[in-house]
Amino acid sequence: MQPFTALPPLIAVHAMDSHPSPSITHAGLQHAVLLRAMPVLRHDLSSPLSVMRMGTTLLKRHLQRADMNPADAVARVEQLEQQLTELSAHIRRLRQWDPQVRERQPLQAIALEAAALARPMLMVQGIEVPPVQEDAAQWQGGSHQAPHTLLYAVLAAIYHLAEADGSNSSSGGAPAPARIVVEPLGTTGIQVSAHGDRDMPDTLQVTPQALEGLALDAAAVAQLARSAQFDADVSERTVRLAPLTAGR
């Protein structure tokens, strides 16, 4: 697949105004987001499985030797139950990636999930993703909800800002940021913004070329937002996601 052509910086791009290349399908854009998040999803699933496997092996050995008292055996089983609960929670999270599932979630939950999924990979690149402020008044206690597929657009916005080509900063391109913040936009939207300049060798930055050439540019963010009935206002260092208004 061919990446989108990068749009000039500081030009706002709206979901209804953008015209992505026909060679990039909507499913292709979702795949581009999932490709970046997959290492974290894989780790979330494999980590409790590894702990459970080790725990059951040890428990089996003790039971075979009959050298474990009942109280210790119960404690080991309770640990396995905790890992099973954690694994079940991660499996339920996978529903958020299914575009066929028609669910709505609080904006706050979508923002928290996006930041949590993006943080590990960006941390390796020297980009900080601070925890989302859960008690921000704009969240209104989770009263405002959005289609769960908005997660794709929020993650695309994060990756779009993180993958800025710092080598072009002298000619007007956005430098790679040091920090990306996810926060409420009023009471009905989400804002993703880049701050500072990343102080790390470019060799550690993940580029679209390293991800099957699937770039997430402004038009891609806009298309993913529109599928969730949201408008994407994309500038050089900020992406504002707000519900589509009547007539757009």
Side-chain angles (χ1 to χ4, degrees):
M1 293 183 181
Q2 296 296 321
F4 281 82
T5 301
L7 296 178
L10 298 176
I11 294 180
V13 178
H14 297 278
M16 295 293 287
D17 301 327
S18 58
H19 300 281
S21 167
S23 63
I24 305 294
T25 65
H26 187 71
L29 295 178
Q30 291 175 329
H31 172 65
V33 173
L34 183 58
L35 191 64
R36 290 159 170 80
M38 182 58 71
V40 179
L41 294 171
R42 187 185 301 116
H43 176 269
D44 288 345
L45 293 173
S46 63
S47 181
L49 278 176
S50 298
V51 175
M52 290 175 64
R53 186 179 298 111
M54 181 173 61
T56 54
T57 299
L58 291 174
L59 180 60
K60 180 179 178 180
R61 290 177 181 173
H62 284 296
L63 293 176
Q64 288 174 335
R65 295 196 300 258
D67 61 355
M68 177 179 282
N69 62 58
D72 290 339
V74 170
R76 289 293 179 88
V77 172
E78 289 176 345
Q79 291 175 359
L80 292 173
E81 288 178 339
Q82 291 176 359
Q83 294 300 322
L84 184 60
T85 299
E86 180 181 345
L87 181 61
S88 298
H90 289 314
I91 292 175
R92 285 195 299 272
R93 288 170 63 192
L94 293 178
R95 287 174 57 85
Q96 299 180 65
W97 297 94
D98 186 356
Q100 301 303 318
V101 175
R102 305 298 181 186
E103 289 184 353
R104 298 181 68 84
Q105 294 187 351
L107 278 177
Q108 179 187 22
I110 295 174
L112 286 167
E113 180 73 1
L117 285 170
R119 184 175 297 115
M121 186 179 80
L122 297 189
M123 186 183 302
V124 174
Q125 302 175 52
I127 302 175
E128 177 190 5
V129 181
V132 175
Q133 187 178 349
E134 297 186 47
D135 59 353
Q138 295 95 321
W139 294 129
Q140 295 187 337
S143 60
H144 190 80
Q145 299 190 338
H148 76 287
T149 50
L150 182 63
L151 176 63
Y152 281 102
V154 180
L155 279 170
I158 295 173
Y159 297 136
H160 167 67
L161 295 176
E163 294 167 11
D165 185 1
S167 63
N168 293 330
S169 57
S170 61
S171 59
R179 186 172 72 260
I180 293 179
V181 177
V182 182
E183 57 192 340
L185 177 65
T187 59
T188 60
I190 295 175
Q191 176 172 290
V192 181
S193 55
H195 304 268
D197 296 342
R198 182 175 60 93
D199 183 18
M200 183 170 283
D202 291 340
T203 54
L204 295 180
Q205 184 177 16
V206 175
T207 63
Q209 289 72 26
L211 295 165
E212 300 182 8
L214 296 172
L216 289 169
D217 64 2
V221 176
Q223 181 170 324
L224 289 167
R226 187 187 179 194
S227 71
Q229 300 303 305
F230 269 65
D231 180 59
D233 183 356
V234 184
S235 62
E236 187 179 73
R237 305 213 97 186
T238 304
V239 177
R240 299 178 179 87
L241 300 168
L244 282 170
T245 58
R248 287 198 62 84

